[in-house]
């Protein structure tokens, strides 16, 4: 190697690396997308979305029930917080059910399927017994529990169909019987049609639609062939058309899709039109919490089926989009739980619950927006009604339990759980172990100094 005049080796210049474009390397949108993708892929994402989304929807629903029901309560000569207190009590009981369902093992959920189905069928039969069943708004689907408390058994029928159908299909999948169409349909479809028949005896078309959506969701998750799926859908659609054509009330509801004037007579679209008025008058950020005008007697069912309209009037577009985002997050988390599990029962149950909540939210919000006929179904976790809130919160507990049961989520939760007892024991153990060692060291040093050692 040639040397320089000073005798030192020449300095070799480092090869320059190609300059990477800073915009491509640190683009904020790309960095934000990568961070969001990492957050979505975390094992606890579904768990936190289900838990946080459902709690936010329930709390916001309690606030809107209190705001939307005050005028109705005063018109009935009741305290202004009457409906809110009943909804709060139902939410408290539902919270206990949610916590219990989230802590139950999967085997216990499967064991509850048949008793819950039998109990739901028994209560639906009692609804049709004169003197026991109670008719509200033309639909006889209620049982009086004494005083002002009533229960709607068809709401618990949704949960029963999800659990029983998931357990049935999972057992048949384990035995490899789903390849035969008769095992795919029997007894799932006959039992579902029996529940639909008991519901339609009371005239509740909206709940029947939700139950049908759950049935088709289970069949789709089970991998039903296209011909079989279309065949069952055709039968259900034919029965639905017959039931709608033979009822002037249901035909009038279809006539109100997209209506902008209330109208008169049998085609009166008062509720649908005033729901649009409430949404339109809310603007971007609404008129303020409690400042709704439509709830002062103009909008029927302001705290139940049309609470989304009052939300749009008081909280504006920002409030309604927030509610939609929460339901979208809840639906995404349910689909993720159903898609990542290896347990057939968990897959079918999670898919059934997600189909139930998503379909009911779409039907309710679509009716308020004037895009669908008014079906008379509440907004899940949001509208007033303890009979709808209790089974829905139990179903949310199911999703939480399934999200916790994933191996990666279970490991992540185990690492994050505070183990104060173990930590204290470890600290005490380390202190106890270090104490004697330190004392022995000090004693040896003292003995060395006393003997004159250096």
């Amino acid at each position: 190697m040639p040397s320089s005049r000073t005798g030192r080796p020449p300095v070799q210049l480092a090869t320059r690396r190609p300059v990477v474009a800073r915009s491509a390397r640190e683009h904020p949108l790309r960095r934000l997308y990568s961070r969001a993708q990492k957050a979505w892929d975390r094992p606890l994402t579904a768990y936190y979305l289900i838990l946080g989304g459902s709690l936010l929807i329930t709390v916001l629903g309690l606030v809107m029930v209190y705001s939307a029901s005050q005028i109705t309560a005063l018109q009935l000569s009741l305290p202004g917080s009457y409906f809110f207190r009943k909804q709060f009590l139902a939410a408290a009981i539902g919270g206990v059910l949610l916590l219990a369902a989230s802590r139950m093992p999967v085997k216990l959920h499967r064991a509850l399927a048949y008793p819950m189905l039998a109990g739901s069928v028994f209560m639906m039969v009692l609804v049709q017994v004169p003197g026991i069943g109670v008719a509200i708004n033309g639909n006889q689907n209620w049982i009086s529990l004494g005083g002002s408390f009533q229960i709607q058994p068809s709401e618990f029928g949704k949960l029963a169909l999800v659990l029983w159908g998931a357990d049935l299909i999972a057992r048949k999948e384990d035995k490899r019987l789903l390849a035969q169409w008769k095992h795919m349909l029997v007894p799932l479809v006959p039992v579902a049609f029996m529940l639909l028949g008991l519901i339609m005896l009371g005239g509740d078309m909206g709940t029947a639609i939700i139950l049908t959506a759950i049935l088709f969701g289970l069949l789709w998750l089970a991998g039903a062939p296209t011909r079989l799926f279309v065949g069952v859908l055709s039968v259900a659609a034919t029965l639905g058309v017959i039931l709608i054509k033979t009822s002037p009330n249901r035909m009038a509801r279809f006539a109100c899709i997209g209506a902008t004037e209330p109208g008169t007579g049998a085609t009166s679209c008062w509720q649908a039109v005033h729901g649009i008025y409430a949404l339109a008058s809310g603007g971007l950020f609404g008129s303020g919490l409690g400042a709704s005008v439509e709830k002062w007697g103009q909008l029927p069912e302001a705290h139940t089926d049309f609470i989304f309209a009052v939300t749009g009037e008081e909280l504006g577009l920002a409030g309604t989009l927030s509610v939609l985002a929460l339901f979208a997050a809840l639906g995404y988390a349910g689909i993720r739980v159903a898609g990542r599990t290896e347990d057939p029962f968990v897959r079918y149950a999670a898919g059934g619950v997600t189909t139930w909540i998503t379909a009911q939210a779409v039907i309710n919000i679509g009716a308020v927006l004037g895009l669908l006929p008014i079906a008379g179904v509440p907004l899940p976790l949001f509208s007033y009604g303890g009979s709808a809130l209790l089974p829905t919160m139990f179903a949310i507990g199911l999703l939480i339990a399934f999200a916790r049961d994933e191996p990666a989520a279970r490991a992540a939760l185990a690492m994050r759980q505070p183990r104060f007892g173990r930590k204290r024991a470890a600290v005490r153990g380390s202190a106890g172990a270090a104490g004697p060692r330190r004392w022995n060291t000090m004693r040896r040093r003292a003995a060395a100094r006393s003997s004159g050692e250096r």
Side-chain angles (χ1 to χ4, degrees):
M1 178 182 295
S3 59
S4 61
R5 294 180 180 179
T6 58
R8 298 177 181 177
V11 179
Q12 296 182 357
L13 297 177
T15 57
R16 300 183 62 181
R17 296 180 180 179
V19 180
V20 181
R22 187 174 183 180
S23 59
R25 184 179 56 186
E26 299 180 357
H27 197 281
L29 293 179
R30 184 173 298 178
R31 186 169 56 227
L32 181 61
Y33 175 77
S34 62
R35 290 181 179 179
Q37 189 175 10
K38 290 180 181 178
W40 287 120
D41 292 337
R42 291 177 180 175
L44 293 177
T45 297
Y47 171 75
Y48 287 128
L49 282 179
I50 296 171
L51 180 61
S54 59
L55 290 180
L56 286 175
I57 294 173
T58 305
V59 171
L60 183 58
L62 287 173
V63 174
M64 293 312 304
V65 165
Y66 180 69
S67 175
S69 64
Q70 289 182 347
I71 307 305
T72 304
L74 295 176
Q75 289 176 345
L76 297 175
S77 301
L78 297 171
S81 60
Y82 174 78
F83 293 104
F84 168 76
R85 287 181 293 177
K86 291 185 64 177
Q87 185 73 356
F88 184 81
L89 177 62
I93 299 174
V96 176
L97 293 178
L98 185 148
L99 182 62
S102 64
R103 295 294 179 177
M104 287 182 184
V106 175
K107 292 182 179 180
L108 184 55
H109 287 304
R110 300 187 70 167
L112 290 175
Y114 282 86
M116 190 171 295
L117 178 65
S120 300
V121 172
F122 178 72
M123 289 192 298
M124 288 183 188
V125 173
L126 287 181
V127 168
Q128 306 305 323
V129 177
I132 299 179
V134 179
I136 298 179
N137 295 331
N139 295 337
Q140 187 168 346
N141 287 297
W142 301 80
I143 295 178
S144 178
L145 300 179
S148 60
F149 292 95
Q150 297 169 342
I151 188 172
Q152 189 177 1
S154 58
E155 293 291 339
F156 295 88
K158 303 174 186 177
L159 179 61
L161 180 61
V162 168
L163 288 178
W164 177 80
D167 178 70
L168 176 69
I169 299 175
R171 285 189 290 107
K172 290 193 174 186
E173 181 176 339
D174 292 338
K175 297 178 181 179
R176 299 181 180 180
L177 298 175
L178 293 180
Q180 306 176 23
W181 67 269
K182 59 181 180 180
H183 287 288
M184 178 75 71
L185 297 180
V186 180
L188 177 62
V189 175
V191 171
F193 275 38
M194 178 188 65
L195 295 176
L196 290 172
L198 291 174
I199 292 174
M200 289 307 301
L201 284 177
D204 191 356
M205 188 72 179
T207 305
I209 294 174
I210 305 300
L211 213 66
T212 305
I214 295 174
L215 172 62
F216 285 115
L218 292 174
L219 289 176
W220 183 77
L221 290 171
T226 305
R227 291 181 297 175
L228 187 63
F229 199 84
V230 172
V232 178
L233 181 61
S234 301
V235 173
T238 303
L239 293 176
V241 170
I242 294 174
L243 293 173
I244 293 172
K245 287 287 186 180
T246 55
S247 175
N249 183 27
R250 299 188 185 111
M251 288 297 298
R253 293 185 180 185
F254 271 89
C256 293
I257 297 178
T260 56
E261 295 293 334
T264 57
T267 58
S268 177
C269 302
W270 183 272
Q271 186 176 11
V273 171
H274 278 273
I276 297 297
Y277 289 169
L279 291 172
S281 60
L284 187 58
F285 297 104
S287 57
L289 192 63
S292 171
V293 176
E294 292 293 333
K295 68 182 180 182
W296 287 77
Q298 300 294 326
L299 180 63
E301 308 296 337
H303 61 296
T304 55
D305 300 345
F306 271 66
I307 193 171
F308 189 75
V310 179
T311 304
E313 185 178 4
E314 294 187 352
L315 303 182
L317 181 63
T320 55
L321 290 180
S322 300
V323 175
L324 291 176
L326 290 174
F327 276 109
L330 195 59
Y332 166 80
I335 294 174
R336 173 171 170 167
V337 171
R340 292 196 173 189
T341 184
E342 296 180 358
D343 190 339
F345 172 78
V346 173
R347 180 169 62 253
Y348 298 133
V353 170
T354 306
T355 303
W356 162 17
I357 296 177
T358 305
Q360 188 164 329
V362 168
I363 291 174
N364 178 275
I365 296 175
V368 174
L369 295 176
L371 304 176
L372 296 174
I374 300 175
V377 295
L379 190 59
L381 301 172
F382 203 84
S383 298
Y384 170 79
S387 295
L389 184 62
L390 295 181
T392 306
M393 294 194 74
F394 188 90
I396 294 296
L398 282 176
L399 291 179
I400 294 175
F402 298 156
R404 290 167 56 94
D405 197 52
E406 293 183 7
R410 197 185 309 124
L413 286 173
M415 293 177 61
R416 295 190 178 187
Q417 285 179 355
R419 300 179 181 180
F420 299 104
R422 295 187 180 182
K423 288 183 179 180
R424 290 177 180 176
V427 171
R428 290 176 182 175
S430 61
R437 287 197 300 267
R438 185 176 180 183
W439 171 254
N440 292 333
T441 304
M442 294 175 63
R443 186 173 56 184
R444 285 195 299 270
R445 289 179 179 176
R449 289 179 181 177
S450 62
S451 61
E453 296 179 359
R454 295 291 178 181

